[in-house]
Amino acid sequence: MAVYTDISEEELAAYLKGYAIGETLSYKGIAEGSENSNFLLHTTGGVFILTLYEKRVERAELPFFLGLMQHLAQKGINCPLPVARSDGELIGELAGRPAAIITFLEGVWMRRPTATHCREVGRALAGMHVAGADFSMHRPNRLSVAGWKELWERARPMADSYEPGLVAEIDAEFAAFEKGWPVDLPTGVIHADLFPDNVFFLGNSLSGLIDFYFACNDLFAYDLATCINAWCFEKDHSFNQTKARALLAGYQSVRPLEEAERRALPLLARGSALRFMLTRLYDWLTIPDGALVQKRDPMEFIRRLRFHRHIATAAEYGLKDA
Amino acid sequence: MAVYTDISEEELAAYLKGYAIGETLSYKGIAEGSENSNFLLHTTGGVFILTLYEKRVERAELPFFLGLMQHLAQKGINCPLPVARSDGELIGELAGRPAAIITFLEGVWMRRPTATHCREVGRALAGMHVAGADFSMHRPNRLSVAGWKELWERARPMADSYEPGLVAEIDAEFAAFEKGWPVDLPTGVIHADLFPDNVFFLGNSLSGLIDFYFACNDLFAYDLATCINAWCFEKDHSFNQTKARALLAGYQSVRPLEEAERRALPLLARGSALRFMLTRLYDWLTIPDGALVQKRDPMEFIRRLRFHRHIATAAEYGLKDA
């Protein structure tokens, strides 16, 4: 929720000489995207997003993220298209940081999504999974079970100070994941962070998916499980089965789930809840209070984790036969 | 540097029904303007800034600020034009706060202004002073000598902890102001906060003045003195006389200064430095470290204050005969 790096008009003018999108008309730091510095850029050539990649994003991984957006956009998925520089590259350098310019997508993200929006998200997620099938690059998911374990080992000594009993509870979760985490489900490129602020709508029509900076190769059904966590719980933590049913039906209208994926869904949803709980907990325990970063409470995802622990079959989420 | 209030797409859609600017295409919270929540709004009717007024701005004063922008825009000054609602009002209510929509101005603010930019700022400031002459509303300057005294009385008990000796130094300044502050100079509507982030340029041409939320009726020459403080010192606190000469010449090319204004300029510049030092000092001493507000160091303006104290005549700023 902050612009970390400001840039001067001279730096920007010099940077834009590497592109064929005209000259600066205006640029405004926007208060979205917690990992990078984003500017809404108007030039004589159009409207764009300029991103400076801050330290959490590794430079070596940018070609995967930007190449994926380019691949998906060319396949007809509504997502930003990286603008190539005159030298053919998608990535430049600005203010000492890797930088890229992508097209601006109109649309608003839904602070209060309805079941109709959830259905559209399911359809778009499956569409992305299908369109990514022939993307040639590969990036492992650093935030799957092994990555969670690392985070947990760093947070564990302080975890009971946040919530008494959390150490025993999460240790037991890891025992379950290490035994039963599925390895033979359909895989491909997943978004891995498809929360409402990463999906734009114009009215009820989905106008774009954004923020592919957690994208990686992993289980398709895990991506869908993350969407259940991201879209189907209310502010009071209650589970909205109508929304989940719509999400799952939307997904299956494009890509029907296999039987093994259906069976795995409750465990995947539990794992996904753990993943978001852990990154929030780690930040909560380690980022100093004075930092200009809005820390988000991990409790929301502890509650989701507990909810999924008591789900026996995906039918309880409202999953129907495809 | 933060969006304080987020709004939902439903709230915004409902709010826009009160205007004739079409429907929402997108809105992004922008990381500029420290007092209010600002969104860059694209609708089917154009590009706008939507502002929610947070608690530091008094609702009763909004008609002055918005009426002034309307008056100046209609006089040909490059500044945002408030968009009237279908009911004729300039101010509505959104998310429990007063809200307004103004036109979006293209342009960038100069992180590193040159003397050419300073000359343009001088011309524009004088243009605004002339154009405001027949504006019918009136707002006293709450941040003139009496207002500074109030701020100082609240900050004074803690001031020596910030900078040893500051209490004695500032007490002596007040003695000078209370004796010598001019009262019979030409007055009218002034901007009162014309720092570089409030002036847009396209190349070397000034494309707009923004942020009129400190505007008030006060001495024209005091507004010019504030511009000396805002535009003519380098990052290392040195005074750039070439820039000041350009600023003053630009101003006088539109509105020549009277002899009494010229004589008063060093004292006015000292007062203006004190004004910005005091608001920063007060925030520095009272805003908790954990707050999502970027606190700015008062020292920059203590140094300016000390500089102006040793200026005998405005000729030292580079002021020439008009």
Side-chain angles (χ1 to χ4, degrees):
Chain A
M1 290 291 289
V3 176
Y4 293 96
T5 304
D6 194 24
I7 46 178
S8 75
E9 67 290 350
E10 290 163 351
E11 286 173 305
L12 180 58
Y15 185 71
L16 290 187
K17 287 202 201 309
Y19 291 82
I21 57 171
E23 292 179 12
T24 315
L25 291 177
S26 61
Y27 62 108
K28 306 281 183 199
I30 58 179
E32 292 184 9
S34 53
E35 305 283 321
N36 302 312
S37 303
N38 289 303
F39 296 87
L40 206 168
L41 171 67
H42 290 186
T43 75
T44 47
V47 181
F48 305 93
I49 296 287
L50 164 68
T51 301
L52 304 193
Y53 297 98
E54 303 293 345
K55 61 174 193 293
R56 275 205 187 185
V57 174
E58 285 196 33
R59 198 190 195 302
E61 301 195 318
L62 291 177
F64 177 90
F65 303 133
L66 292 161
L68 176 62
M69 281 188 254
Q70 190 177 47
H71 175 92
L72 293 174
Q74 286 165 355
K75 290 263 175 175
I77 302 292
N78 290 324
C79 70
L81 177 66
V83 178
R85 297 164 51 87
S86 309
D87 62 11
E89 298 294 325
L90 299 181
I91 302 157
E93 188 173 307
L94 180 52
R97 285 161 181 76
I101 292 176
I102 60 178
T103 54
F104 177 80
L105 297 184
E106 296 289 2
V108 302
W109 67 265
M110 294 287 132
R111 276 70 171 172
R112 297 177 197 161
T114 65
T116 303
H117 299 121
C118 292
R119 180 180 303 272
E120 290 305 299
V121 169
R123 288 168 56 90
L125 184 73
M128 182 203 142
H129 289 169
V130 171
D134 57 348
F135 180 56
S136 60
M137 300 176 77
H138 193 276
R139 176 177 182 263
N141 188 358
R142 294 192 210 302
L143 285 170
S144 188
V145 184
W148 307 341
K149 197 66 191 271
E150 272 180 50
L151 268 176
W152 176 235
E153 273 158 20
R154 285 188 276 169
R156 193 175 180 278
M158 300 171 282
D160 273 351
S161 73
Y162 170 74
E163 162 88 347
L166 194 61
V167 169
E169 179 175 358
I170 301 304
D171 282 348
E173 288 297 313
F174 273 105
F177 294 138
E178 284 164 3
K179 199 177 62 179
W181 193 256
V183 290
D184 52 357
L185 301 180
T187 63
V189 180
I190 70 169
H191 185 285
D193 193 38
L194 202 60
F195 277 72
D197 55 339
N198 288 332
V199 181
F200 292 164
F201 288 88
L202 288 170
N204 285 329
S205 300
L206 192 152
S207 64
L209 307 179
I210 65 160
D211 201 347
F212 288 80
Y213 300 107
F214 287 97
C216 55
N217 292 74
D218 204 346
L219 310 176
F220 289 141
Y222 173 72
D223 218 11
L224 183 57
T226 292
C227 285
I228 292 174
N229 284 321
W231 292 84
C232 305
F233 288 82
E234 301 300 320
K235 299 249 181 294
D236 67 358
H237 310 292
S238 62
F239 177 66
N240 185 322
Q241 208 221 37
T242 302
K243 292 183 181 175
R245 197 183 305 131
L247 175 79
L248 295 165
Y251 188 90
Q252 294 211 97
S253 72
V254 176
R255 182 184 168 268
L257 293 172
E258 295 181 5
E259 182 51 34
E261 292 179 292
R262 303 163 71 89
R263 274 199 312 272
L265 207 54
L267 189 69
L268 296 174
R270 236 165 107 181
S272 162
L274 181 70
R275 172 254 178 274
F276 290 98
M277 190 282 276
L278 283 171
T279 47
R280 287 188 177 195
L281 180 68
Y282 183 74
D283 287 351
W284 193 268
L285 295 172
T286 59
I287 293 177
D289 276 342
L292 280 173
V293 170
Q294 213 144 19
K295 297 200 285 187
R296 287 179 297 188
D297 195 335
M299 187 48 72
E300 205 181 318
F301 285 94
I302 296 177
R303 286 169 178 271
R304 286 183 182 32
L305 177 64
R306 291 172 184 164
F307 172 83
H308 295 304
R309 204 185 291 146
H310 296 102
I311 296 288
T313 76
E316 294 176 48
Y317 294 129
L319 182 69
K320 305 285 185 196
D321 292 338
Chain B
M1 291 287 289
V3 176
Y4 292 95
T5 304
D6 193 24
I7 47 176
S8 76
E9 67 290 352
E10 291 163 351
E11 286 174 305
L12 180 57
Y15 185 70
L16 291 187
K17 285 202 203 310
Y19 291 83
I21 58 172
E23 291 180 13
T24 314
L25 292 176
S26 61
Y27 62 107
K28 307 279 185 201
I30 58 179
E32 293 183 8
S34 55
E35 303 284 321
N36 301 311
S37 303
N38 289 303
F39 297 85
L40 206 168
L41 170 67
H42 291 186
T43 74
T44 48
V47 181
F48 306 92
I49 296 287
L50 164 67
T51 300
L52 304 193
Y53 297 97
E54 303 293 345
K55 59 176 192 295
R56 274 206 188 186
V57 175
E58 284 196 36
R59 199 190 193 303
E61 301 195 317
L62 292 176
F64 178 89
F65 303 133
L66 292 161
L68 176 61
M69 282 188 252
Q70 190 177 46
H71 176 91
L72 294 174
Q74 285 165 356
K75 289 263 176 175
I77 301 292
N78 289 325
C79 71
L81 176 65
V83 179
R85 297 165 51 88
S86 309
D87 62 11
E89 298 295 324
L90 299 182
I91 303 156
E93 187 173 307
L94 180 52
R97 286 160 179 76
I101 292 176
I102 61 178
T103 54
F104 178 80
L105 296 184
E106 296 289 1
V108 303
W109 66 265
M110 294 288 133
R111 275 73 171 172
R112 297 176 197 162
T114 65
T116 304
H117 299 124
C118 292
R119 179 179 304 272
E120 291 305 298
V121 168
R123 288 168 55 89
L125 184 74
M128 183 202 141
H129 289 170
V130 173
D134 57 347
F135 180 55
S136 59
M137 300 175 77
H138 194 275
R139 178 179 180 263
N141 188 358
R142 294 193 210 301
L143 285 171
S144 188
V145 184
W148 307 341
K149 196 68 190 268
E150 273 180 49
L151 268 175
W152 177 235
E153 273 158 19
R154 285 187 279 170
R156 194 174 180 279
M158 300 171 281
D160 273 351
S161 73
Y162 171 75
E163 162 90 347
L166 195 60
V167 168
E169 180 174 357
I170 301 304
D171 282 349
E173 287 299 313
F174 273 105
F177 294 138
E178 284 165 2
K179 199 176 62 179
W181 194 254
V183 290
D184 52 359
L185 302 181
T187 63
V189 179
I190 70 169
H191 185 285
D193 192 38
L194 202 61
F195 277 71
D197 57 339
N198 288 333
V199 181
F200 292 164
F201 288 88
L202 288 169
N204 285 330
S205 300
L206 192 152
S207 64
L209 307 179
I210 65 162
D211 200 347
F212 289 80
Y213 300 108
F214 287 97
C216 55
N217 291 73
D218 205 347
L219 311 176
F220 289 139
Y222 173 72
D223 218 9
L224 182 57
T226 291
C227 285
I228 292 174
N229 285 320
W231 292 82
C232 304
F233 288 81
E234 301 301 320
K235 299 252 181 292
D236 67 358
H237 309 293
S238 62
F239 177 66
N240 186 321
Q241 207 220 38
T242 302
K243 291 183 181 176
R245 198 182 305 131
L247 175 79
L248 295 165
Y251 189 89
Q252 294 210 99
S253 72
V254 176
R255 181 184 169 269
L257 291 172
E258 297 181 3
E259 182 51 36
E261 291 180 293
R262 304 162 73 92
R263 273 199 312 273
L265 207 55
L267 189 71
L268 295 174
R270 238 166 107 180
S272 163
L274 181 70
R275 173 254 179 271
F276 289 99
M277 190 282 276
L278 283 171
T279 47
R280 287 188 177 195
L281 180 68
Y282 184 74
D283 287 352
W284 192 268
L285 295 171
T286 57
I287 292 178
D289 276 342
L292 281 172
V293 172
Q294 214 144 20
K295 297 199 285 186
R296 288 180 296 189
D297 196 335
M299 187 47 72
E300 203 180 319
F301 285 94
I302 296 177
R303 285 169 178 271
R304 289 191 185 19
L305 177 64
R306 290 172 184 164
F307 172 84
H308 294 303
R309 206 185 291 148
H310 297 102
I311 296 288
T313 76
E316 294 176 51
Y317 294 130
L319 182 69
K320 305 282 184 198
D321 292 338

